[in-house]
Amino acid sequence: MGNSETKLHFRKAVIQLTTKTQPVEAADDAFWDQFWADTSTSVQDIFTLVPAAEIRAVREESPSNLATLCYKAVERLVCGADSGCPSDNERQIVLNCCRLLTRILPYIFEDADWRGFFWSTVPGAGRGRRREEDLDDDEDSRPLAESLLLAIADLLFCPDFTVNSHKKSNEQTEEIHSLDSCEYIWESGVGFAQSPPPNYIHDQNRTELLKLLLTCFSEAMYLPPSSGSQTHNPWVDFFCSSENRHALPLFTSLLNVVCAYDPVGFGFPYNHLLFSDHRELLVEQAAQILIVSLEHDVRQSGGGILQAAKASTSTAVEEQEDFSFVLKGLTRLLNNPLVQTYLPHSTKKIQFHQELLILFWRFCDFNKKFLFFVLKSSDVLEVLVPILFYLNDARADQSRVGLVHIGVFILLLLSGERNFGVRLNKPYSLRVPMDIPVFSGTHADLLVVTFHKIITSGHQRLHALFDCLLTIIVNISPYLKSLTMVAANKLLHLLEAFSSQWFLFSNMKNHHLVFFLLEVFNNIIQYQFDGNSNLVYTMIRKRTVFHQLANLPAENAAIQKALQRNKKSGFSRTNSTEPESMEGSRRAACAEPGTLKASLEATPGLDKITEKSRVSEDGTLVVVPNSPQLNSSAVAAGSDTESNSERDLEVSRTESVRSRLSSVSSSAWTPTPDWVLSWKVKLPLQTIMRLLQVLVPQVEKICIDKGLTDESEILKFLQHGTLVGLLPVPHPILIRKYQSNAGTAMWFRTYMWGVIYLRNVDPPIWYDTDIRLFEIQRI
């Protein structure tokens, strides 16, 4: 930290800059050196001693002085990169310039007139190299932004500053421009076998340079979400291009630092309270640089980090080893907050799980080989469990709606692959602290029960995700071998809530949710009947729900009566009884007062983000053109069968869900009999009705003949039953695979930068600047 005399000297320099009415000459080194020479101010000092109001004042009243300050600071960084920072004083000058630019850049970006300043050609602002081969016109006319980015890249591989030197004691200083940065990768892992000794100072310097790099990339925050220019970020474009000779080693360094990080270490209780973990700050910054860099669509620009990363694995064996390293590293970190110990708060808990989820998403979305690697083993479950934990934990907190969205998007992507559904049949034995009912089953049960919890007790802003949540269940349903009674009851409870007349008639799209759930039941009946006696028994018990759907009234009077009944009912949640929750569970907490949240772009509709594919006989997927109706191929057979009266075991809970869903309505839209009939005739009830027609009489007869009151005997009968030849011809399996588009790209951009904004509070790089990409709201 800088002493008081240093701070005073620096503050006087800032005041001089803000009060000078005449431009200060760039050649006046004595004046400009006050900002970075002979000072040791920390980044926190810089943010305190350079107030936002004064930066804006210089920008408006003395623009030439601000321009010269930026130019001179970049020039000193370029000189430091060229010289290799051989002395402590030169390293301190580089850090001071780095901190000052980190403070100033957001105020350059927020002004549209200034935004192009760094991309203008500044005379003499080239790389400043003295070697003959570098003194050409192109080098001397390089835009200031390019000079800054290349200097940062060089400094990130500067011996004795950010990496360990390889020179022997009797050798001369390493020439930085001839240095092969592939030999100086920061951590072992992908493409690098050696693990350099840890160096706290190097980690600190890397973190400061990466913070400046992230600030350079953040120009994207100052453009509105509808801006076409946001397709490409010029800072990221250039840094990830072949112009940056350090692109591959830097990408590898960042990736290895993140994936090799172990916050627990040797696991001594409370060690994180006794010792500072300086690597964590570097890991967080590295993860943020990675997710921003990977947003850059190199598939269009033809070069850069991602292609370099793909090319870095020369053989299949190496590729598998690299994928394994990345997956194990990400799963280790994602599972860290779930770890429970006998001593409370005895292990370190990381806070950058949102960046990790985005990073995992980027890898799966961009690199299909990695996605298939994830899915081919049970390791995918090591990703599933923490995602479900985060979804459940964030469901009641409106400041974390984005976290729920990214988790659901990842699961939607995974559910489009058959292997994911198959893996879910693995028994779930881990006990994660989640407030969900106790069950003994598989990971599929965990997913269904968690989704039910999100739908029935999540924040209202999650309603837009209901179709995505149900689509995930539809995609995996043909492969679920045996659902528990708990999960089966949850599925029927959702159908019961979504099929109520007032809910179906209150929104023009609500019936889609019923179609999804019926598709789930049909898939399990047709493809996994033998092992799903719990679900079949629950369907028999709740058969009234299906009969009511089949006999849904379409007359205008019935529609109006259902809607009026909803207004008068005044459903309350007070009677809702929650079943026993898992031991050690923690309930979802609402956001604390004063919590900041970043606004998000609206998520595109399900039809925009998924592509329908049918599974053919040989197991391949055949794309199905989108049609207006969800299930045009599944035409329902109406039924006049009267349902037997039965006790509704979850009346209060169903009313609770209906109460929560009452806001999902279209005020400007009115249901009509023609509209109801248009989708009612397509309800895929034929298979379900046939099952009930065959099994209900058999179950009733057994109960009467044997006087059964124990459901275990009925389940035994159902386990040995068969419907071969009795059901309609199996329908083809329909999978809805995630497809990226401009809408989801925009959503991810706003979410990513919102996370980065809220996570960088020390120092608060973008606080109180004119952000345009999203709004910061206080809850």
Side-chain angles (χ1 to χ4, degrees):
M1 293 293 290
N3 55 42
S4 57
E5 186 177 340
T6 299
K7 292 179 185 179
L8 183 61
H9 183 70
F10 181 84
R11 181 63 189 146
K12 285 180 179 178
V14 174
I15 293 172
Q16 280 183 307
L17 182 69
T18 57
T19 55
K20 284 186 180 291
T21 56
Q22 298 298 317
V24 182
E25 293 294 328
D28 188 355
D29 288 337
F31 175 80
W32 298 112
D33 282 350
Q34 296 178 92
F35 293 97
W36 39 74
D38 302 322
T39 63
S40 56
T41 49
S42 68
V43 65
Q44 287 79 11
D45 293 336
I46 294 286
F47 273 70
T48 302
L49 298 172
V50 187
E54 295 184 14
I55 300 175
R56 291 191 176 109
V58 174
R59 187 185 69 194
E60 302 303 324
E61 299 165 18
S62 306
S64 62
N65 286 343
L66 181 59
T68 306
L69 177 65
C70 293
Y71 158 62
K72 295 293 287 185
V74 173
E75 183 183 55
R76 294 310 298 259
L77 286 179
V78 169
C79 291
D82 287 342
S83 67
C85 300
S87 68
D88 289 340
N89 184 53
E90 287 176 279
R91 293 169 194 159
Q92 189 61 54
I93 288 174
V94 165
L95 290 174
N96 288 338
C97 291
C98 181
R99 294 161 183 166
L100 190 61
L101 286 169
T102 301
R103 177 59 171 157
I104 292 173
L105 274 170
Y107 298 90
I108 298 287
F109 295 150
E110 75 173 4
D111 190 313
D113 294 334
W114 273 86
R115 217 166 282 143
F117 166 70
F118 271 84
W119 293 100
S120 59
T121 302
V122 181
R127 302 288 285 130
R129 293 174 182 168
R130 294 291 175 263
R131 295 182 302 161
E132 222 173 278
E133 60 268 29
D134 290 326
L135 294 178
D136 54 42
D137 293 338
D138 291 338
E139 194 68 29
D140 283 334
S141 62
R142 193 182 280 285
L144 198 59
E146 294 185 5
S147 297
L148 173 58
L149 291 173
L150 292 176
I152 293 172
D154 280 345
L155 289 166
L156 285 168
F157 291 98
C158 185
D160 294 323
F161 181 54
T162 50
V163 294
N164 293 311
S165 175
H166 291 177
K167 71 179 180 68
K168 302 292 195 309
S169 56
N170 58 346
E171 290 181 351
Q172 292 184 342
T173 304
E174 294 159 289
E175 177 61 48
I176 195 166
H177 299 303
S178 60
L179 176 146
D180 182 3
S181 48
C182 289
E183 298 178 4
Y184 289 84
I185 289 172
W186 300 349
E187 187 58 74
S188 61
V190 174
F192 197 69
Q194 303 168 4
S195 185
N199 188 307
Y200 153 62
I201 300 297
H202 290 175
D203 278 0
Q204 276 192 319
N205 296 341
R206 292 165 179 170
T207 303
E208 298 232 31
L209 286 164
L210 291 179
K211 200 177 291 291
L212 173 57
L213 183 59
L214 189 65
T215 308
C216 292
F217 291 169
S218 71
E219 182 183 277
M221 286 194 202
Y222 297 90
L223 297 173
S226 59
S227 172
S229 61
Q230 263 299 89
T231 305
H232 288 293
N233 184 326
W235 295 84
V236 181
D237 281 3
F238 179 79
F239 194 79
C240 294
S241 73
S242 55
E243 291 260 6
N244 177 12
R245 69 189 184 95
H246 302 293
L248 172 58
L250 179 59
F251 173 88
T252 308
S253 295
L254 297 173
L255 184 61
N256 291 353
V257 160
V258 171
C259 295
Y261 177 58
D262 184 0
V264 176
F266 292 110
F268 298 124
Y270 303 106
N271 62 344
H272 62 289
L273 302 179
L274 303 175
F275 309 102
S276 298
D277 182 3
H278 299 285
R279 177 52 66 102
E280 182 181 17
L281 296 175
L282 175 62
V283 172
E284 288 185 19
Q285 214 70 63
Q288 290 171 7
I289 292 291
L290 278 173
I291 61 178
V292 174
S293 299
L294 288 174
E295 189 206 21
H296 169 77
D297 195 347
V298 296
R299 291 170 291 189
Q300 292 181 11
S301 60
I305 284 183
L306 188 58
Q307 286 191 350
K310 288 180 178 178
S312 66
T313 52
S314 56
T315 68
V317 174
E318 289 176 0
E319 188 177 71
Q320 297 295 303
E321 292 175 355
D322 291 344
F323 286 166
S324 178
F325 169 76
V326 171
L327 181 58
K328 285 181 179 176
L330 293 178
T331 53
R332 182 196 315 115
L333 294 174
L334 286 172
N335 281 279
N336 166 263
L338 284 63
V339 175
Q340 296 188 87
T341 57
Y342 290 107
L343 299 173
H345 311 296
S346 62
T347 59
K348 185 179 182 67
K349 306 290 187 184
I350 64 165
Q351 301 298 320
F352 55 98
H353 47 273
Q354 293 190 84
E355 292 96 319
L356 293 169
L357 289 174
I358 300 172
L359 186 58
F360 179 79
W361 167 268
R362 295 280 183 225
F363 271 104
C364 289
D365 191 31
F366 280 175
N367 194 326
K368 296 308 177 189
K369 286 185 178 180
F370 179 75
L371 174 61
F372 296 143
F373 176 84
V374 170
L375 290 165
K376 77 176 186 181
S377 73
S378 294
D379 288 342
V380 69
L381 302 178
E382 296 295 310
V383 177
L384 170 72
V385 173
I387 288 178
L388 294 177
F389 169 83
Y390 295 132
L391 294 183
N392 182 67
D393 189 52
R395 72 179 191 272
D397 184 350
Q398 60 175 310
S399 69
R400 293 192 286 168
V401 168
L403 170 59
V404 179
H405 276 74
I406 180 68
V408 172
F409 281 149
I410 290 173
L411 296 182
L412 181 62
L413 178 70
L414 295 176
S415 72
E417 307 297 334
R418 177 183 178 275
N419 271 1
F420 181 66
V422 173
R423 300 297 170 204
L424 291 177
N425 291 303
K426 184 177 180 180
Y428 172 72
S429 56
L430 188 66
R431 283 295 173 260
V432 173
M434 293 167 62
D435 57 328
I436 58 174
V438 175
F439 67 90
S440 179
T442 67
H443 285 77
D445 294 294
L446 176 67
L447 184 145
V448 169
V449 170
T450 305
F451 280 12
H452 176 271
K453 193 79 175 183
I454 294 168
I455 291 172
T456 58
S457 64
H459 190 267
Q460 269 191 331
R461 290 182 63 196
L462 300 182
H463 289 158
L465 284 178
F466 285 1
D467 54 357
C468 280
L469 291 169
L470 296 186
T471 296
I472 293 166
I473 300 178
V474 171
N475 283 346
I476 64 174
S477 59
Y479 314 109
L480 305 185
K481 294 184 179 300
S482 179
L483 287 176
T484 62
M485 190 66 78
V486 172
N489 276 317
K490 298 308 178 191
L491 286 176
L492 263 298
H493 179 239
L494 289 179
L495 180 65
E496 193 171 12
F498 290 150
S499 63
S500 66
Q501 292 181 24
W502 73 260
F503 180 69
L504 287 173
F505 299 156
S506 64
N507 185 289
M508 64 186 303
K509 292 186 178 180
N510 281 354
H511 64 282
H512 290 187
L513 303 177
V514 172
F515 274 84
F516 284 133
L517 285 166
L518 293 178
E519 193 173 344
V520 170
F521 296 129
N522 284 330
N523 283 341
I524 294 177
I525 293 169
Q526 291 280 22
Y527 293 99
Q528 300 293 343
F529 175 83
D530 290 347
N532 275 290
S533 56
N534 288 323
L535 182 66
V536 173
Y537 173 69
T538 306
M539 291 173 68
I540 292 173
R541 239 184 7 98
K542 293 280 190 178
R543 57 193 178 275
T544 309
V545 179
F546 301 103
H547 292 310
Q548 288 174 346
L549 260 179
N551 298 313
L552 187 71
E555 301 81 17
N556 193 57
I559 294 173
Q560 295 307 316
K561 184 179 178 182
L563 294 175
Q564 288 300 320
R565 189 185 311 128
N566 172 42
K567 290 179 182 177
K568 295 177 181 177
S569 62
F571 289 126
S572 170
R573 299 195 64 202
T574 55
N575 295 327
S576 178
T577 56
E578 287 294 328
E580 184 185 0
S581 294
M582 304 190 77
E583 186 177 352
S585 66
R586 64 183 194 190
R587 295 193 174 278
C590 296
E592 295 181 6
T595 300
L596 296 179
K597 70 169 184 176
S599 64
L600 288 168
E601 282 292 285
T603 51
L606 186 68
D607 57 332
K608 298 287 194 305
I609 63 174
T610 56
E611 178 184 77
K612 295 179 185 176
S613 299
R614 278 203 176 92
V615 180
S616 60
E617 292 183 5
D618 59 359
T620 58
L621 292 178
V622 180
V623 175
V624 178
N626 278 329
S627 60
Q629 294 297 332
L630 279 161
N631 284 285
S632 57
S633 62
V635 179
S639 172
D640 296 323
T641 309
E642 291 294 326
S643 61
N644 293 335
S645 60
E646 63 175 321
R647 185 168 57 94
D648 188 344
L649 300 178
E650 292 184 319
V651 170
S652 61
R653 297 198 61 223
T654 302
E655 292 183 350
S656 165
V657 181
R658 290 171 180 167
S659 176
R660 297 189 59 78
L661 299 177
S662 61
S663 62
V664 192
S665 60
S666 300
S667 56
W669 171 84
T670 304
T672 64
D674 288 344
W675 169 79
V676 175
L677 288 172
S678 70
W679 54 262
K680 177 187 173 182
V681 297
K682 295 185 173 73
L683 284 170
L685 285 165
Q686 186 180 10
T687 298
I688 295 170
M689 288 305 188
R690 184 61 180 154
L691 176 142
L692 295 176
Q693 186 182 8
V694 172
L695 292 182
V696 168
Q698 294 181 14
V699 171
E700 288 179 340
K701 186 174 186 303
I702 291 174
C703 291
I704 294 170
D705 292 349
K706 297 186 177 182
L708 294 180
T709 56
D710 185 3
E711 65 181 22
S712 62
E713 292 296 323
I714 302 172
L715 288 170
K716 281 183 183 178
F717 165 74
L718 293 174
Q719 285 170 3
H720 297 94
T722 180
L723 292 177
V724 175
L726 298 175
L727 295 180
V729 176
H731 57 280
I733 296 174
L734 191 66
I735 302 294
R736 294 168 181 84
K737 296 172 71 73
Y738 171 83
Q739 293 292 316
S740 58
N741 58 59
T744 53
M746 193 69 252
W747 185 91
F748 271 104
R749 185 174 299 126
T750 56
Y751 172 60
M752 174 184 72
W753 281 112
V755 168
I756 291 172
Y757 178 100
L758 294 172
R759 296 275 298 127
N760 284 272
V761 294
D762 186 23
I765 298 176
W766 301 282
Y767 180 73
D768 205 25
T769 60
D770 187 18
I771 301 293
R772 304 285 303 282
L773 185 62
F774 48 81
E775 293 180 4
I776 294 297
Q777 303 158 346
R778 191 177 296 275
I779 298 176

